[in-house]
Amino acid sequence: GDSVTQMEGPVTLSEEAFLTINCTYTATGYPSLFWYVQYPGEGLQLLLKATKADDKGSNKGFEATYRKETTSFHLEKGSVQVSDSAVYFCALPNDYKLSFGAGTTVTVRA
Amino acid sequence: GAGVSQSPRYKVAKRGQDVALRCDPISGHVSLFWYQQALGQGPEFLTYFQNEAQLDKSGLPSDRFFAERPEGSVSTLKIQRTQQEDSAVYLCASSLGLRDRGSPLHFGNGTRLTVT
C-alpha cells in the first residue's frame, strides 16, 4: 500500500537555525500529503497539507512542496524557535486511513 | 467540548488485567478512528467507525482488542488480558464527514497505557 518514509531523528538545533525534515512517499496515484506535529503533552495536529503535485503547503513559518518528480514532501522552516520543539510526522491517506512516518523529534535550544 | 477528549490520560495495568479507554469525539463528527502509537513510532491504524458502524477493524492486533461506538458518538477501546507489548499511546481521532483522501483528522491527546 501507499506509504511514507521519513528522516530519522532526533534533530537538535539552535534558535534561528534552518530546519529540514525529509519525507518521501510511495503511492500508486497522487494522494494528498500531510505534515502533522505533536507538541509535548499534546495531541497530533495538522501542520500543513498539499493536495496535488507542485502544491506548497505552509503554516506557522513551515513550508513543504509536493514534488512528483522526486516523490518528496520535505518540511522546511527558515528560522526555528524554541516553541517549534516537537515531533513531526509525515503522512498520507491510504483510502480512509492515514499512514504515518516514524516521526522526527526536533529540539530547538535557546 | 472544543476537541476530541480521551480518558484516562494515563493507565497502568498489571499484565492480564482488562482495560477500557474512552474517546469523546467532537460533537457531530461521523467518522472515528483509533490508532496505536508505540514508543518512537508513528501512529498505526487500529479501527474505523462511521457513526455506530465499525467498518474496518483490520488493524486490531489480536482478538483481545475490541472497540465499540454504540450510539455513534462516544467510543470505547477495550483490551482484555493485557500484555506488555500492548504498552503504547492509544490515539482517537474524528472527522466531520465521511472519510476521503483529503480530509484531515482531529486527534485527542491520547491515553498512555503501561502494562507492568
Side-chain angles (χ1 to χ4, degrees), chain A residues 16-101:
Chain A
E16 299 182 6
F18 184 85
L19 171 67
T20 300
I21 304 175
N22 289 344
C23 172
T24 56
Y25 67 90
T26 302
T28 52
Y30 300 103
S32 296
L33 296 171
F34 304 99
W35 277 100
Y36 277 81
V37 61
Q38 191 171 34
Y39 297 105
E42 298 184 17
L44 276 167
Q45 53 186 274
L46 181 65
L47 179 60
L48 54 82
K49 70 175 184 178
T51 57
K52 60 183 187 298
D54 300 324
D55 260 6
K56 178 185 284 188
S58 61
N59 186 25
K60 298 184 180 181
F62 288 88
E63 290 184 341
T65 301
Y66 190 157
R67 298 204 185 279
K68 186 175 59 174
E69 312 77 27
T70 53
T71 62
S72 65
F73 192 54
H74 304 325
L75 182 69
E76 297 181 334
K77 185 170 185 179
S79 176
V80 293
Q81 304 300 312
V82 172
S83 57
D84 294 323
S85 297
V87 184
Y88 294 83
F89 295 90
C90 187
L92 59 70
N94 243 314
D95 195 7
Y96 48 76
K97 314 166 193 177
L98 275 177
S99 292
F100 289 90

Side-chain angles (χ1 to χ4, degrees), chain B residues 1 13-14 66 95 101 107 111 115:
Chain B
K14 285 187 168 37
F66 172 74
S95 67
R101 293 169 71 83
F107 282 86
T111 294
V115 181

Side-chain angles (χ1 to χ4, degrees), chain A residues 41 43 89 93 96-98, chain B residues 9 33 35 37 56 99 101 109:
Chain A
F89 295 90
Y96 48 76
K97 314 166 193 177
L98 275 177
Chain B
R9 189 71 191 270
F33 298 80
Y35 285 81
Q37 186 177 11
D56 187 342
R99 288 291 289 126
R101 293 169 71 83
N109 287 355

